[in-house]
Amino acid sequence: MNEQDWIEKLWQARLGAKAIEPITSVDPDFDLKKAYAIQEGLLSRDLKQGNKLSGYKMGLTSLAKQRDVNVFEPIRGYLLDSMKLSQADGLSTKHRIHPRVEPEIVVVLKEDLKGPNVNLAQVEKAVSHIFAGCEILDSRYHGYKFALPDVVADNTSASGYFVGSTNLVEKHSELNSFKVSIKKNGEELQTGSPEAVLGNPLKAVVELVKLLAVFDKPVLANKVILTGGITAAVPLEKGDQVEVVWPFETLAFSVF
Ligand code: OOG
Ligand code: MG
């Protein structure tokens, strides 16, 4: 199996909501470099099909998430317009294999940032919006099991995202005092604070700029940036009612 074969397999797995074996279980030499090349191939294919890049995501930026999937290194992926979800519409399970939800801080920049030497002060200066949000994940691998290169090739399990409507940028110095919880069918299943993400979710943006610099790419202004799950993710099924409760707003949706 070569790179094109894996791109095709992952593409079909996502399209048909049918899980595949992790690449590392078939090819023990499969590494991170090859994995990002496959992710890049999936992005090109998405763009060629008319999908639009809506943003970026960091993953595995908190210990809770690293332990959740037993992978201990931050990773990055891409987001598409078609992944943006609305609370009114809810979450469909139809084209998903085993969806999960996790709470995340969402950031938007007002200027592009590029290069390996970016620092936190530059990110703070460039931020225009901070939103409460949550990500919907859906690994394309059997049993939601994978190693680091597998999950990178699979665009870091990206499947959807909800973004709140209150710009919290003026409150950015208070973010770490926020508490967030995930309730499923009224039961609180996870709680955490944005501090869990590298001590400050804006540091995840620094890491994102650095990871994209390897590919000589900027993080563009006016795109959404998911900074990484604060808590372990909660598996979802048809019929679930989900509430992601933040200090200034609650994101609520049903799963159908
Ligand atoms: C991997 C993606 C991790 C996050 O925010 O940590 C991620 C997964 O859990 O499927 O998006
Ligand atoms: Mg995430």
Side-chain angles (χ1 to χ4, degrees), residues 20-48:
I20 60 171
E21 293 303 328
I23 305 175
T24 52
S25 71
V26 181
D27 174 5
D29 293 331
F30 189 65
D31 63 14
L32 200 54
K33 193 156 176 256
K34 292 179 185 164
Y36 274 112
I38 286 178
Q39 189 192 114
E40 203 57 27
L42 288 168
L43 172 60
S44 304
R45 197 154 168 179
D46 269 311
L47 297 177
K48 237 180 260 151

Side-chain angles (χ1 to χ4, degrees), residues 57-60 65 69 102 104 135 137 144 151 156-157 228-229:
K57 58 166 285 191
M58 283 297 288
L60 311 182
K65 271 303 303 182
V69 293
E102 59 189 10
E104 304 206 16
E135 179 172 24
L137 296 167
Y144 216 106
V151 66
T156 66
S157 313

Side-chain angles (χ1 to χ4, degrees), residues 2 10 35 44 65 95 97 103-104 130 142 154 160 164 166-167 185 201 208 220 226 253:
N2 63 23
L10 282 163
S44 304
K65 271 303 303 182
H95 300 290
I97 303 163
E104 304 206 16
I130 297 178
H142 281 306
D154 182 25
T166 312
N167 186 2
N185 306 321
L208 173 67
L220 296 172
L226 300 187
F253 58 91

Side-chain angles (χ1 to χ4, degrees), residues 141-181:
Y141 299 114
H142 281 306
Y144 216 106
K145 291 246 178 336
F146 44 72
L148 172 67
D150 301 310
V151 66
V152 166
D154 182 25
N155 190 25
T156 66
S157 313
S159 181
Y161 61 91
F162 293 88
V163 182
S165 53
T166 312
N167 186 2
L168 303 166
V169 73
E170 297 301 329
K171 301 201 164 30
H172 101 260
S173 58
E174 296 161 43
L175 274 192
N176 284 350
S177 67
F178 282 20
K179 288 273 171 292
V180 59
S181 63

Side-chain angles (χ1 to χ4, degrees), residues 89-212:
D89 291 346
L91 177 72
S92 165
T93 53
K94 197 157 174 225
H95 300 290
R96 293 183 168 90
I97 303 163
H98 33 209
R100 297 178 171 187
V101 61
E102 59 189 10
E104 304 206 16
I105 289 291
V106 183
V107 174
V108 179
L109 304 179
K110 55 181 175 252
E111 52 191 81
D112 300 354
L113 285 176
K114 188 177 173 185
N117 300 317
V118 66
N119 59 39
L120 184 60
Q122 285 171 299
V123 168
E124 280 172 340
K125 218 175 123 249
V127 171
S128 62
H129 299 77
I130 297 178
F131 295 109
C134 61
E135 179 172 24
I136 302 300
L137 296 167
D138 190 30
S139 174
R140 267 60 65 166
Y141 299 114
H142 281 306
Y144 216 106
K145 291 246 178 336
F146 44 72
L148 172 67
D150 301 310
V151 66
V152 166
D154 182 25
N155 190 25
T156 66
S157 313
S159 181
Y161 61 91
F162 293 88
V163 182
S165 53
T166 312
N167 186 2
L168 303 166
V169 73
E170 297 301 329
K171 301 201 164 30
H172 101 260
S173 58
E174 296 161 43
L175 274 192
N176 284 350
S177 67
F178 282 20
K179 288 273 171 292
V180 59
S181 63
I182 307 185
K183 287 188 192 167
K184 188 168 85 170
N185 306 321
E187 191 187 349
E188 187 175 271
L189 295 178
Q190 293 288 340
T191 58
S193 159
E195 192 174 11
V197 172
L198 302 173
N200 172 358
L202 292 187
K203 286 192 186 160
V205 182
V206 174
E207 294 311 310
L208 173 67
V209 177
K210 288 182 179 171
L211 283 174
L212 278 166

